[in-house]
Amino acid sequence: MDLVSKVFDERGFVEKIGGMIPGFGGYFNRNKRRDADKLLRDYIARQVDEQRGRLASLTVQLTSTPGGLKHLELAERATMKMQVFMDKMRTASYGYAGWFDAVKVDEQDLEAIYNYDTSLLEGVGRVANEVTALENAVATGEGIPIILNNLIRETDDLNRAFAKRQDLILATH
């Protein structure tokens, strides 16, 4: 789903009139891209939160299986890394600074940031695949530490990718 198009299509009367004033339309376009960026980041955070919830259920299952307690440290580390990522996504810069802020991001840069955020969805998919693999491993009792380490690695990758997003914002100036 292209959130930028959806947000642009839902413009109100005042925004449409403002679009007729030279220079004013660009301001609205930046705000709409900002809104789309926020919607996308919230969606990504919810997807990771869903995986964190699945992992929490699996962690409870591990505590009730023979030998499962030895995997709790890895499971908790993966949970914490997911939480850090979700917090960053929910509180991140919109990719647009207001008129009077020191850092300005133009519309083209906003498009690049939005596209970068979209690419984060691929990483979320890899995290979901690892959680699914962990469900299977918990059911069989085999390969749990390997999969938990893979999950930690994928979550670390997400956190690194998000840090690069911030670098992209700063590099545009």
Side-chain angles (χ1 to χ4, degrees):
M1 170 173 40
D2 184 7
L3 292 174
V4 174
S5 296
K6 182 171 176 50
V7 170
F8 273 94
D9 290 344
E10 294 179 2
R11 295 189 316 175
F13 175 74
V14 173
E15 292 167 308
K16 288 178 182 176
I17 297 297
M20 296 177 195
I21 301 170
F24 205 68
Y27 172 74
F28 276 123
N29 287 345
R30 284 190 298 272
N31 277 337
K32 291 302 179 185
R33 289 188 188 282
R34 178 182 178 189
D35 292 344
D37 179 59
K38 174 72 172 137
L39 287 171
L40 179 60
R41 286 185 294 104
D42 286 345
Y43 174 79
I44 292 169
R46 283 192 312 273
Q47 297 303 305
V48 172
D49 193 33
E50 181 180 314
Q51 300 313 312
R52 189 187 55 80
R54 290 174 63 202
L55 178 57
S57 295
L58 291 168
T59 302
V60 170
Q61 287 179 19
L62 281 173
T63 62
S64 61
T65 60
L69 291 176
K70 65 184 175 189
H71 305 299
L72 287 184
E73 182 182 338
L74 288 174
E76 285 301 314
R77 192 166 0 142
T79 300
M80 286 182 4
K81 289 175 183 290
M82 286 181 181
Q83 186 65 51
V84 166
F85 178 77
M86 290 181 334
D87 292 344
K88 288 178 184 178
M89 288 301 289
R90 288 185 173 132
T91 61
S93 166
Y94 286 106
Y96 167 70
W99 284 355
F100 302 108
D101 290 346
V103 177
K104 301 257 191 240
V105 178
D106 66 24
E107 194 171 336
Q108 199 171 26
D109 295 333
L110 285 172
E111 182 74 22
I113 292 165
Y114 177 80
N115 290 336
Y116 196 84
D117 285 352
T118 302
S119 73
L120 290 173
L121 283 171
E122 294 173 10
V124 174
R126 289 189 297 273
V127 166
N129 290 340
E130 291 300 332
V131 174
T132 299
L134 183 60
E135 286 173 336
N136 296 331
V138 169
T140 64
E142 297 179 14
I144 295 170
I146 293 169
I147 295 167
L148 281 169
N149 280 311
N150 289 343
L151 179 58
I152 290 167
R153 181 181 35 81
E154 291 296 344
T155 308
D156 280 340
D157 288 349
L158 271 179
N159 280 301
R160 276 190 295 277
F162 191 78
K164 288 181 183 178
R165 176 193 191 270
Q166 189 67 25
D167 292 343
L168 176 66
I169 292 171
L170 294 175
T172 60
H173 308 292

